[in-house]
Amino acid sequence: MKICMIGAGYVGLVGGACFADLGNTVYCVDKNKNKISMLNNGEIPIYEPGLNEVVKKNYLSKRLKFTTDLSLAVSSSDIIFICVGTPTSKKNRSADLHFVFKVAAEIAKSIKKFKIIICKSTVPVTTGDKIEKIISKRVNKKLFEVISNPEFLREGEAIRDFRFPDRIVVGSNNKKAINKLKSLYEPLIKKGAKFFSTSRRGAEMIKYASNAFLATKISYINEIANLCEKINVNVEEVSIGIGLDQRIGGRFLRVGPAYGGSCFPKDTKALTVTGEMYNTDLSIIKSVIKSNEKRKILLTTRVKRILSNKIKNKKISFLGVTFKPNTDDMRQSTSLTMIPFLSKNGAKITYYDPTGKKNEFSSLKNVSFCNTIDNACNNADLVIIHTEWEEFKALDFKKLSKKKKFKIFDIRNLYSVKDMKKKGFNYYSIGR
Ligand code: UGA
């Protein structure tokens, strides 16, 4: 099939490369000239394991094309995916939809024959209706169909998630369009992905309700961890014990810092706004948002306690600062609350992250990036394992703390309490 992805970000670029890999001809469009010229020069503008190879292979075979020319891409394609960002609005907690609407108006200008227009961007329920209205101002309704097909891939696991999704959700009442999408996704359905079609609004709702539910699971286990710490119970065993109940399921019950990234914080907020618009109190989601915000403070207070309330001049080393491993994304990472607070209170911070130095900390006093774990931990009073990168999972703490014995605060529970105790470390973790 001939497809075009508008917006070459996580969703558009990964989706575009993977659709091309399934044998389709794909145009990836972005208005950012710099990004498109990077892609045409074989450079990948985002950090995503495995993406480079898929892009390269399909670019060379000419199935994957990069362009800033939206009109050319739309007129050359039968299926058009809208994959632009929907960040939190600068004015309130809602999703800012102006990119989506702008793209819809642009698409309308180039429709001469029938097109399926698919919204893959995460958008509040009823956005599909609005996209349809915008396009129908210029184009006869017989010439297009607007469908919702939310994306469920995770940063850092994006290629795998695209190739082996649990489900493909399509929201439309148009049988022909649904069947077209079913054949586009056929190779994934054959491998076991469930294809589920529903109304357009239903599909939009499924995306938000999924993310809010996963965020709720994380906040829930994090609060249970707070209690476990006080009553001498191991939260890891509680996660396993409750997760074995198939009605609950074991995934997304890993304790840690506040959930972060570009999706959960943004989508939970936007969903409560939709609730307000339709006079529905989504009190559970509101309290999840509050609980998650509190968690950032709670962990910072814990650092203070570990250091007996003496932060000034203490050398604190962060291992990992991104919101999760296998990404360079810093959005809504707990480190963005912890590091500025600790530096403001006189701590000397060093950090190491496999994805390098972060602009977010460059203006902070006494915060410096080290390009090795050894350098970051050198002379530290406290080492904080913030992100669960593979390379932090089997560290030789004896060697790292040879010059000076440091305390360890393992926010991701990567190590066994028993082992660390046996080795003589002052080791703190979450809910254990
Ligand atoms: C999330 C969803 O998992 C995807 O299904 C969805 O497509 C995506 O948002 C989106 O809407 O675009 P992502 O934000 O990339 O994906 O990352 P996750 O792996 O879900 O992690 C989100 C946050 O939850 C991270 O801060 C992570 O550390 C935290 N987390 C996750 C936990 O604290 N515990 C867990 O058990 C799982």
Side-chain angles (χ1 to χ4, degrees):
M1 291 186 194
K2 289 192 177 112
I3 300 172
C4 107
M5 313 296 285
I6 303 179
Y10 261 105
V11 173
L13 184 55
V14 171
C18 291
F19 276 133
D21 209 42
L22 295 176
N24 303 289
T25 300
V26 182
Y27 284 88
C28 275
V29 186
D30 205 291
K31 64 175 187 197
N32 184 331
K33 285 187 189 142
N34 198 17
K35 194 185 257 184
I36 293 299
S37 78
M38 272 176 88
L39 286 162
N40 277 320
N41 285 322
E43 292 168 58
I44 307 290
I46 54 171
Y47 182 98
E48 182 62 42
L51 182 58
N52 193 4
E53 290 76 3
V54 190
V55 168
K56 203 169 163 192
K57 177 179 152 205
N58 289 285
Y59 182 78
L60 291 176
S61 70
K62 298 203 162 47
R63 278 197 300 269
L64 184 59
K65 302 163 200 285
F66 300 109
T67 177
T68 52
D69 190 343
L70 186 141
S71 164
L72 166 87
V74 169
S75 45
S76 316
S77 308
D78 307 313
I79 302 180
I80 294 139
F81 283 93
I82 300 177
C83 308
V84 293
T86 53
T88 299
S89 154
K90 289 202 173 81
K91 288 182 232 137
N92 50 39
R93 291 165 293 133
S94 64
D96 178 351
L97 297 173
H98 89 273
F99 294 120
V100 173
F101 295 149
K102 212 170 148 216
V103 159
E106 284 286 308
I107 293 171
K109 288 185 203 160
S110 305
I111 298 179
K112 302 278 180 306
K113 59 178 191 131
F114 184 76
K115 308 276 174 195
I116 296 178
I117 295 149
I118 301 172
C119 187
K120 235 188 202 320
S121 301
T122 300
V123 292
V125 74
T126 72
T127 303
D129 306 1
K130 291 172 188 149
I131 295 174
E132 184 175 302
K133 211 166 158 192
I134 291 172
I135 299 177
S136 61
K137 277 187 193 154
R138 268 189 105 106
V139 185
N140 187 314
K141 277 199 175 150
K142 283 188 188 135
L143 280 186
F144 73 98
E145 188 65 36
V146 176
I147 292 184
S148 166
N149 170 219
E151 184 51 66
F152 299 106
L153 53 83
R154 291 164 297 169
E155 285 181 25
E157 314 274 347
I159 303 285
R160 195 211 145 272
D161 283 352
F162 184 95
R163 288 178 173 161
F164 301 98
D166 288 341
R167 81 296 205 192
I168 293 150
V169 174
V170 170
S172 170
N173 294 325
N174 181 318
K175 268 228 162 89
K176 233 170 109 185
I178 294 174
N179 283 337
K180 184 104 178 158
L181 269 193
K182 204 170 188 176
S183 40
L184 175 67
Y185 282 113
E186 192 59 34
L188 309 184
I189 298 168
K190 269 194 191 140
K191 282 190 296 182
K194 297 221 164 56
F195 186 88
F196 178 64
S197 69
T198 175
S199 67
R200 190 164 65 202
R201 289 186 180 190
E204 291 169 336
M205 193 63 220
I206 286 169
K207 170 67 190 181
Y208 273 97
S210 297
N211 273 4
F213 188 78
L214 293 170
T216 304
K217 261 186 124 174
I218 298 167
S219 292
Y220 176 79
I221 199 67
N222 280 336
E223 286 199 358
I224 294 293
N226 295 343
L227 181 58
C228 286
E229 277 164 23
K230 306 242 163 87
I231 55 176
N232 199 18
V233 168
N234 184 341
V235 73
E236 300 283 325
E237 289 168 12
V238 176
S239 281
I240 295 170
I242 62 177
L244 285 172
D245 183 332
Q246 284 186 17
R247 293 170 301 175
I248 298 173
R251 295 177 74 189
F252 278 71
L253 286 179
R254 262 186 302 111
V255 293
Y259 61 74
S262 64
C263 306
F264 290 170
K266 163 177 83 78
D267 297 347
T268 42
K269 279 186 222 149
L271 186 52
T272 60
V273 174
T274 306
E276 281 157 20
M277 277 168 68
Y278 293 91
N279 224 352
T280 305
D281 184 15
L282 299 176
S283 65
I284 295 176
I285 303 165
K286 281 186 201 158
S287 65
V288 166
I289 296 169
K290 241 194 226 161
S291 169
N292 197 54
E293 280 309 309
K294 263 204 231 153
R295 185 144 195 88
K296 300 177 188 171
I297 315 290
L298 190 134
L299 293 183
T300 316
T301 312
R302 181 99 190 271
V303 172
K304 264 165 72 181
R305 264 210 324 274
I306 292 172
L307 291 170
S308 316
N309 280 321
K310 290 181 195 113
I311 299 179
K312 202 161 182 213
N313 291 325
K314 286 279 162 31
K315 188 175 167 198
I316 304 176
S317 309
F318 276 75
L319 296 184
V321 287
T322 52
F323 84 97
K324 67 171 200 171
N326 301 323
T327 175
D328 57 357
D329 201 337
M330 288 294 291
R331 282 176 285 181
Q332 303 292 321
S333 176
T334 299
S335 68
L336 293 173
T337 303
M338 293 180 87
I339 293 183
F341 175 88
L342 296 169
S343 107
K344 210 170 149 198
N345 282 275
K348 296 191 168 103
I349 314 278
T350 51
Y351 69 95
Y352 165 78
D353 191 279
T355 56
K357 195 173 170 174
K358 303 295 167 196
N359 290 336
E360 286 81 353
F361 302 131
S362 52
S363 62
L364 295 181
K365 231 172 121 185
N366 289 329
V367 178
S368 55
F369 170 72
C370 298
N371 54 10
T372 64
I373 299 173
D374 276 58
N375 287 347
C377 297
N378 190 26
N379 268 323
D381 294 291
L382 173 67
V383 170
I384 298 177
I385 305 174
H386 176 276
T387 315
E388 70 274 36
W389 287 91
E390 279 303 309
E391 59 191 281
F392 303 151
K393 290 187 177 166
L395 293 172
D396 185 349
F397 285 114
K398 275 214 167 117
K399 207 170 134 212
L400 287 171
S401 63
K402 218 171 178 179
K403 270 201 202 150
K404 182 171 164 187
K405 190 114 191 221
F406 48 66
K407 293 178 173 178
I408 301 164
F409 183 21
D410 178 2
I411 300 185
R412 300 284 183 167
N413 286 359
L414 298 187
Y415 292 86
S416 132
V417 178
K418 218 164 128 194
D419 278 2
M420 295 305 271
K421 209 171 167 187
K422 220 159 91 192
K423 286 180 182 153
F425 283 104
N426 253 326
Y427 173 79
Y428 306 83
S429 57
I430 303 287
R432 305 190 291 179

